[in-house]
Amino acid sequence: MRQAGAALLVMMAILAIGMTSFMVAALNQASMNESAAAQHRDAAVLAEAKSALIGYVVREVLDLSQNIPGRLPCPESPSDAGTANEGRAGSACSPGFPTNKTIGRLPWRTLGASKLVDSAGEALWYVVSPNWVLSTPNPPPVINAGSVGQLSVDGIGDVVAIIIAPGRPLVLNPTAAQIAQGCEGRAQARGDRSHNPAGGNPDYRNYVECQNASSPIDGVFGGVVAENATHPVINDHLVTVTARELLNVMQGPLAERMQRTVVPLLREYSGLWPDGAFLPYAAPFVPPESGLAPSAHCGPPAPAAQVQEGLLPVAASFGNCASDWSDFSITGSVTSLGCASLAPASTDVRCSFAYYRLNALGQALFGAGVARMDVTIQATAPRAAASFRRPLAASDIVVPAGVTVQSATLRPQTDGDARFTLVATVAGSNLCDDSVLGIACSIIGSWLTTSQTVQIDFPQLALPMLQGTKLAPAVRSLRAPPYNLLSPVAGEPHYWFMENEWYRHTYYAVSPTSSAAGAGGHLTVNGFPPANGNANDKRFVLASMGPPLAGQVRGAAAALANYIEGDNAAASASPRVFAYQVYAASGNDRIATCPFNDGTASSCD
Amino acid sequence: MRLKRQTAFTLVELAVVLMVVGLLLSSLTYTLTAQTEQRTREQTQRTLEQAREALIGFAITNGRLPCPASAASNGLEAPTGGGDCSNYNDGFLPAVTLGFHPTDAAGYALDGWNNRVRYAVARNITGCTGTSAVPHFTAKAALKQNGMSCLPSATELLVCKSSASTPAPAPGSCGAADNSVTNVGAVVAIVFSPGKNFSVAQTAAAALSSGRTDEAANLDGNTVYISHPPAPGGASGGEFDDQVLWIPVGLLYGRLAAAGVLP
């Protein structure tokens, strides 16, 4: 009997099997492609997010209304997820969940980016190191070139921020080995796509897995978990920002901020001195890690040699950088009654002396005497040439009627001290002047002269503040002058510099001519932009030393070469030569200096 | 032997089969069309991302952003050498200046539908601590001299969600508080594709008259741009298929600082 179409059936079956296998193979291929494409997509999105984050922080360095350069934004404000305000950074965050958390969505709107999503369409997550963010009620963080990140990713530390592409939700059922690595069983539930459960915040444990989902949140993160290929428990893709990375990129803007806020103040300080161009010797360099107290940042006491480079001598006049007047002398045709501090000690110093007038008998013997005579008072201000002390002016001196201040100068000395010379003129009639008489009036005796006591007061050097600096108008500041150089309050232009202890991480050099020596030339800064002025007339240099580079080992006893690089570390030339930017294979110093012409001619002239 | 009467498909049966096959085929074609469109969108997205990278790369090597090309500049920035641009908000990606490929015969970069890629850049600045000469971002000397403290001014580039907001978006504000995508002063440059439907309405006026107010906002030459997912004809704001990317000011400054160009 004729077969009815079996061959056709067989052929159909073969075709069907063939097509199925082809489709399965294609699907397999597609799924592999998909996971590769997903990784690729996540990498691209994470790189974009990282650029935006670093860029945001770097730009904020030059926002002079912000006091903590380098501070990171907090994650998205907890109540904003899924609302019209999503993407805004929270104002403060600390590790505690669910509020004020240091893990949350990436604050893309604050960064200026678009709403970045990963390959699974999920918003990116973001973790910050608690010591780089504002966290009320804790005091604000102190961030400088010595700051390190508190997070670690797959065993690599110093991480300040992590951006995570969370991927699709997983049902976690970890093996023993995975549990040992911090994985916990959980069925991740993400609700709807807007992820805004009523009244709640998205729970990070529904988005990230294993180490990244520790509860409470800790500092250990990572994307590598054992047996994940065969037993998937984590699908997070991570990108990290380390403290060094961030601090390195910040160097340029930071130097510019110094140029705009600290340099004008130093320039102005130097202008307060009689010769118009004095700056103190440096405090000898010590590594920031040694934790030298601010009050010790001054030149060594005489007779130790002073140094022209090191750290800024920001010590106020107390403690081991106390600067109390000493070595008083009163010369002239007078009897010195000595000088002493008035009580309390922080007020003026009083010098007293007695001068003599010839009485009728004296006039008969020695003539009429003189109508004016000068009395010179001298005193030493220890360490005043190696710290920021307020120079005295004639207007600071309090004299009684009949006495006028002829001149009052505080002259820096190369031993680090400063010598104060006050010439006061006593006016009157029949004054007994030794040089006219050829004999000391003080020993003539009261039967020929009458004596009169004079008290002259002048301020203590302990006045720690530098008052009345006029600031360049281009410097935006929340407070009007005067600014307190050594202990600024919030709103003053250099508050950030002192508050975040950047003075520990800033190398300071003063030119010989601007120091107490008064001669010897100015500093040179190689590579100084011609648009900003000459390279070889620098009165002082502030070099931001930056984070350590490869090969630099820092610590309490580390040498200077572990902090500054290239020309900046080669102290051979005199006067010294610095490099505006060290472009050698390794080098991240950036310099602020004076004179500096930024086009407004106000930054430093 | 009597021949057995052949049984065959009736005409009706054939018609039904053909109809089913037709339906299947048409649904397949529809899927194919959708897939092609999706692929073209993705290709456009990649082109825009590459354009954004090219702009940042140009800024790193030249110390400034390029000016947008004008319709007559053959893919060169207008004016060449930067400075005060002729087409801040109604220009094209200067593909020839950027060395960007591929381009059309006239030198303009094309999106997936062969429309020219558009580019807008901010001119005015605010918040500077030093000098504040403008234009800032497209002039090398000014950018260097003014420095990184300068932000795009409040009426500069702004990306909003919709043009149908009360009050209406205008330079400096997206109108309603929940209508903004970017903050004021956060965007230095925008690259965007006018999308597939650009071919039927090539000016702001034409887009407006066909009810595409969101797309019209991107073509009207002011500093307010609209970006949201594609929307069909009936949506508020009209049909929308533009793809918009932008460069945040922090990103630009960060890359320039990392490269040592600024400050």
Side-chain angles (χ1 to χ4, degrees):
Chain A
M1 212 181 125
R2 235 185 101 211
Q3 293 269 331
L8 198 67
L9 280 178
V10 170
M11 273 179 65
M12 285 287 287
I14 290 175
L15 205 66
I17 292 171
M19 278 187 67
T20 314
S21 78
F22 173 77
M23 280 176 67
V24 169
L27 275 174
N28 262 336
Q29 188 66 34
S31 83
M32 276 173 67
N33 278 345
E34 190 195 36
S35 89
Q39 290 214 6
H40 194 75
R41 174 80 198 140
D42 284 354
V45 167
L46 290 172
E48 186 181 345
K50 177 173 170 171
S51 287
L53 177 65
I54 292 181
Y56 172 80
V57 174
V58 165
R59 207 215 68 76
E60 287 287 287
V61 170
L62 279 166
D63 183 345
L64 301 189
S65 64
Q66 298 288 331
N67 289 328
I68 311 171
R71 180 174 65 80
L72 288 163
C74 281
E76 179 180 272
S77 189
S79 51
D80 284 353
T83 70
N85 287 325
E86 65 178 352
R88 278 193 323 192
S91 56
C93 45
S94 60
F97 182 81
T99 54
N100 294 338
K101 52 198 191 293
T102 52
I103 181 169
R105 296 272 177 78
L106 184 75
W108 51 271
R109 192 191 301 267
T110 298
L111 304 184
S114 53
K115 184 176 179 181
L116 300 167
V117 293
D118 71 0
S119 56
E122 286 291 350
L124 300 182
W125 282 71
Y126 165 65
V127 191
V128 278
S129 181
N131 63 338
W132 287 69
V133 289
L134 293 177
S135 61
T136 47
N138 302 326
V142 171
I143 298 173
N144 56 40
S147 302
V148 293
Q150 294 175 327
L151 309 179
S152 77
V153 172
D154 290 329
I156 295 167
D158 194 29
V159 172
V160 289
I162 307 170
I163 304 168
I164 304 176
R168 283 187 293 224
L170 294 177
V171 176
L172 301 174
N173 188 16
T175 65
Q178 291 170 336
I179 290 171
Q181 282 186 272
C183 301
E184 282 177 27
R186 184 182 184 93
Q188 291 187 331
R190 298 188 185 171
D192 60 90
R193 295 301 280 180
S194 72
H195 308 303
N196 188 26
N201 307 308
D203 185 336
Y204 64 98
R205 291 170 299 174
N206 286 333
Y207 295 83
V208 296
E209 297 94 24
C210 291
Q211 310 99 303
N212 307 336
S214 328
S215 180
I217 198 75
D218 59 13
V220 181
F221 294 81
V224 181
V225 171
E227 301 170 7
N228 194 49
T230 52
H231 196 92
V233 286
I234 184 165
N235 62 353
D236 297 343
H237 293 151
L238 291 80
V239 65
T240 60
V241 181
T242 63
R244 280 191 195 188
E245 210 173 351
L246 196 60
L247 290 164
N248 259 323
V249 184
M250 275 169 53
Q251 277 290 84
L254 197 83
E256 183 176 338
R257 185 164 181 158
M258 252 174 3
Q259 184 74 54
R260 298 205 183 280
T261 58
V262 182
V263 165
L265 284 171
L266 298 190
R267 161 73 187 87
E268 192 155 339
Y269 173 82
S270 79
L272 294 176
W273 286 76
D275 295 338
F278 165 74
L279 277 166
Y281 288 116
F285 175 80
V286 292
E289 287 80 3
S290 64
L292 188 68
S295 61
H297 279 73
C298 59
Q306 300 297 312
V307 290
Q308 287 172 348
E309 55 189 88
L311 298 175
L312 271 173
V314 296
S317 179
F318 62 83
N320 46 8
C321 194
S323 202
D324 288 332
W325 293 112
S326 64
D327 298 339
F328 300 101
S329 75
I330 301 174
T331 52
S333 307
V334 295
T335 298
S336 169
L337 302 175
C339 300
S341 299
L342 294 177
S346 62
T347 58
D348 290 354
V349 167
R350 172 164 293 173
C351 287
S352 311
F353 58 85
Y355 69 91
Y356 302 93
R357 298 175 67 178
L358 297 166
N359 60 17
L361 190 54
Q363 288 170 35
L365 269 174
F366 298 113
V370 296
R372 324 160 39 86
M373 62 178 190
D374 290 345
V375 178
T376 302
I377 299 175
Q378 286 192 304
T380 294
R383 303 221 219 176
S387 57
F388 289 99
R389 294 290 165 267
R390 180 169 171 252
L392 294 188
S395 55
D396 294 320
I397 319 296
V398 180
V399 290
V403 178
T404 53
V405 176
Q406 192 101 131
S407 67
T409 51
L410 186 61
R411 197 162 297 281
Q413 307 293 308
T414 52
D415 63 0
D417 296 344
R419 189 76 176 150
F420 179 57
T421 304
L422 166 66
V423 179
T425 299
V426 180
S429 53
N430 312 121
L431 297 176
C432 179
D433 186 329
D434 295 1
S435 58
V436 173
L437 251 58
I439 174 176
C441 298
S442 55
I443 60 167
I444 293 175
S446 59
W447 50 283
L448 290 176
T449 58
T450 56
S451 78
Q452 206 146 359
T453 301
V454 170
Q455 294 172 335
I456 295 182
D457 296 350
F458 52 91
Q460 288 278 17
L461 287 164
L463 281 177
M465 67 160 65
L466 168 70
Q467 294 167 341
T469 61
K470 54 173 172 42
L471 250 195
V475 177
R476 286 189 309 161
S477 174
L478 303 180
R479 274 175 63 93
Y483 302 124
N484 187 329
L485 182 67
L486 298 179
S487 41
V489 296
E492 297 195 15
H494 60 311
Y495 178 70
W496 68 277
F497 184 81
M498 301 301 287
E499 197 67 10
N500 291 290
E501 302 186 0
W502 280 102
Y503 58 83
R504 296 184 190 279
H505 299 269
T506 302
Y507 198 70
Y508 162 71
V510 58
S511 79
T513 300
S514 293
S515 72
H522 285 301
L523 305 173
T524 297
V525 177
N526 283 334
F528 192 71
N532 299 125
N534 298 324
N536 60 357
D537 60 355
K538 302 305 171 220
R539 294 200 283 275
F540 63 91
V541 159
L542 296 177
S544 173
M545 301 190 285
L549 296 162
Q552 289 184 332
V553 181
R554 298 190 175 176
L560 180 61
N562 290 307
Y563 293 87
I564 56 178
E565 302 95 27
D567 282 355
N568 301 341
S572 50
S574 181
R576 193 74 150 78
V577 175
F578 288 88
Y580 196 59
Q581 288 177 338
V582 181
Y583 276 129
S586 62
N588 62 0
D589 303 344
R590 295 297 293 259
I591 279 179
T593 186
C594 179
F596 183 95
N597 179 357
D598 71 353
T600 58
S602 57
S603 174
C604 198
D605 51 19
Chain B
M1 199 156 102
R2 187 169 159 254
L3 210 71
K4 194 184 170 202
R5 191 185 139 89
Q6 287 260 331
T7 53
F9 296 114
T10 63
L11 270 178
V12 175
E13 283 170 332
L14 266 176
V16 168
V17 167
L18 278 177
M19 216 175 78
V20 169
V21 168
L23 273 176
L24 279 174
L25 269 179
S26 72
S27 75
L28 203 70
T29 335
Y30 178 78
T31 325
L32 264 179
T33 322
Q35 283 228 346
T36 317
E37 178 140 355
Q38 180 60 26
R39 202 195 286 262
T40 315
R41 278 190 74 82
E42 280 169 10
Q43 183 196 332
T44 302
Q45 185 74 15
R46 274 198 300 275
T47 303
L48 294 177
E49 283 169 6
Q50 284 162 4
R52 182 169 57 179
E53 269 312 299
L55 288 168
I56 294 174
F58 181 92
I60 289 172
T61 45
N62 293 279
R64 65 176 175 90
L65 284 170
C67 278
S70 75
S73 67
N74 291 320
L76 288 166
E77 60 175 339
T80 51
D84 216 352
C85 304
S86 61
N87 299 72
Y88 281 103
N89 288 295
D90 57 353
F92 304 93
L93 188 73
V96 174
T97 302
L98 294 173
F100 188 82
H101 276 284
T103 64
D104 62 6
Y108 295 92
L110 298 179
D111 66 7
W113 297 276
N114 292 335
N115 299 320
R116 291 176 178 178
V117 174
R118 291 167 177 262
Y119 165 56
V121 64
R123 177 184 191 274
N124 297 315
I125 47 173
T126 183
C128 303
T129 49
T131 53
S132 54
V134 287
H136 173 71
F137 296 105
T138 54
K140 181 178 182 180
L143 181 59
K144 182 82 181 168
Q145 202 64 270
N146 298 342
M148 293 173 53
S149 54
C150 303
L151 292 174
S153 69
T155 53
E156 274 297 346
L157 302 178
L158 185 61
V159 181
C160 307
K161 284 178 185 163
S162 167
S163 61
S165 154
T166 317
S173 164
C174 282
D178 60 355
N179 193 38
S180 69
V181 179
T182 64
N183 291 336
V184 167
V187 178
V188 289
I190 289 177
V191 280
F192 73 100
S193 149
K196 185 186 181 189
N197 65 9
F198 178 69
S199 56
V200 295
Q202 307 213 347
T203 62
L208 263 186
S209 68
S210 52
R212 298 174 191 147
T213 52
D214 283 0
E215 297 210 332
N218 287 348
L219 297 174
D220 63 3
N222 74 12
T223 56
V224 178
Y225 292 80
I226 306 292
S227 174
H228 61 78
S236 96
E239 186 180 75
F240 183 84
D241 66 355
D242 292 1
Q243 286 167 270
V244 182
L245 257 65
W246 60 91
I247 303 178
V249 62
L251 180 75
L252 177 72
Y253 283 147
R255 297 283 289 272
L256 292 180
V261 179
L262 282 182

